[in-house]
């Protein structure tokens, strides 16, 4: 039995990122319903988009393979661009959500005694899961970007 390649490990990490995003979305939806806070909803949309794209790109390693090297290279470039965009979107929404969460009033208009300790704990866990997913996504982005740059340099010679 041979050892998995780097792209298979990267795909497995992308699937783990998707699971973490799903857990964070579920925990956030347990605390506040949709129309009450738009920053939390934006953060959930960011996590949902990250989850779907990581699932698609993660499973594409096993279910999609082009026979043409130029097409494979263009797909890799597309994946890198999309994942960097999603990473930036996730960081911005996480910062907005975090800034509003730690402000004088939670979510702009809820007072501090609006939540009990269990709901605070759920929000912290959800935020932590989202941050872990973003850190893993950053690592995956670095690995994929280095791979694409190496491939471009190799094709140029």
């Amino acid at each position: 039995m041979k050892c998995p390649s780097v792209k298979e490990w990267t795909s497995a990490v992308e699937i783990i990122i998707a699971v973490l995003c799903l857990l964070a979305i579920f925990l956030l939806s347990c605390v506040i319903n949709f129309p009450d806070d738009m920053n939390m909803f934006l953060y959930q949309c960011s996590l949902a988009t990250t989850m779907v794209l990581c699932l698609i790109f993660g499973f594409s390693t096993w279910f999609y393979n082009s026979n043409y090297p130029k097409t494979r290279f263009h797909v890799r470039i597309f994946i890198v661009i999309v994942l960097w965009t999603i990473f930036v979107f996730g960081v911005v929404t996480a910062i907005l959500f975090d800034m509003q969460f730690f402000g004088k009033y939670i979510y702009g208009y809820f007072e501090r005694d609006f939540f009990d300790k269990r709901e605070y704990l759920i929000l912290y866990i959800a935020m932590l899961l989202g941050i872990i997913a973003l850190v893993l996504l950053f690592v995956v982005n670095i690995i994929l970007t280095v791979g694409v740059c190496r491939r471009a340099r190799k094709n140029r010679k």
Side-chain angles (χ1 to χ4, degrees):
M1 182 170 177
K2 69 178 193 171
C3 184
S5 66
V6 173
K7 72 177 186 177
E8 290 170 342
W9 281 110
T10 305
S11 295
V13 172
E14 285 178 337
I15 294 168
I16 291 169
I17 291 169
V19 170
L20 290 173
C21 288
L22 181 65
L23 289 173
I25 292 167
F26 176 73
L27 289 174
L28 287 172
S29 65
C30 289
V31 177
I32 294 181
N33 294 332
F34 159 61
D36 292 336
D37 185 24
M38 289 309 289
N39 281 344
M40 184 191 295
F41 178 68
L42 186 64
Y43 185 56
Q44 285 176 319
C45 287
S46 167
L47 290 173
T49 305
T50 304
M51 177 190 68
V52 169
L53 289 174
C54 281
L55 281 176
I56 290 171
F57 296 152
F59 284 121
S60 72
T61 298
W62 294 287
F63 296 122
Y64 170 75
N65 191 8
S66 176
N67 293 330
Y68 302 105
K70 193 171 186 178
T71 304
R72 281 195 307 263
F73 181 67
H74 289 173
V75 168
R76 287 183 187 131
I77 291 174
F78 173 76
I79 289 172
V80 166
I81 291 171
V82 168
L83 288 180
W84 276 114
T85 305
I86 291 303
F87 174 74
V88 170
F89 181 55
V91 167
V92 169
T93 56
I95 289 171
L96 287 174
F97 175 66
D98 193 44
M99 283 174 39
Q100 193 170 14
F101 180 69
F102 290 112
K104 181 177 179 184
Y105 291 104
I106 296 176
Y107 308 118
Y109 53 91
F110 295 133
E111 296 190 18
R112 292 220 177 257
D113 59 350
F114 183 75
F115 297 119
D116 59 2
K117 290 182 181 183
R118 182 186 60 86
E119 289 171 334
Y120 273 121
L121 182 64
I122 289 173
L123 285 174
Y124 279 121
I125 291 172
M127 191 66 189
L128 184 65
L129 287 174
I131 289 170
I132 291 170
L134 284 174
V135 168
L136 288 175
L137 185 61
F138 180 75
V139 170
V140 166
N141 285 342
I142 294 294
I143 292 170
L144 292 177
T145 303
V146 167
V148 164
C149 291
R150 282 185 182 167
R151 179 71 62 179
R153 199 174 299 142
K154 184 179 175 183
N155 287 342
R156 211 177 322 146
K157 292 181 180 180

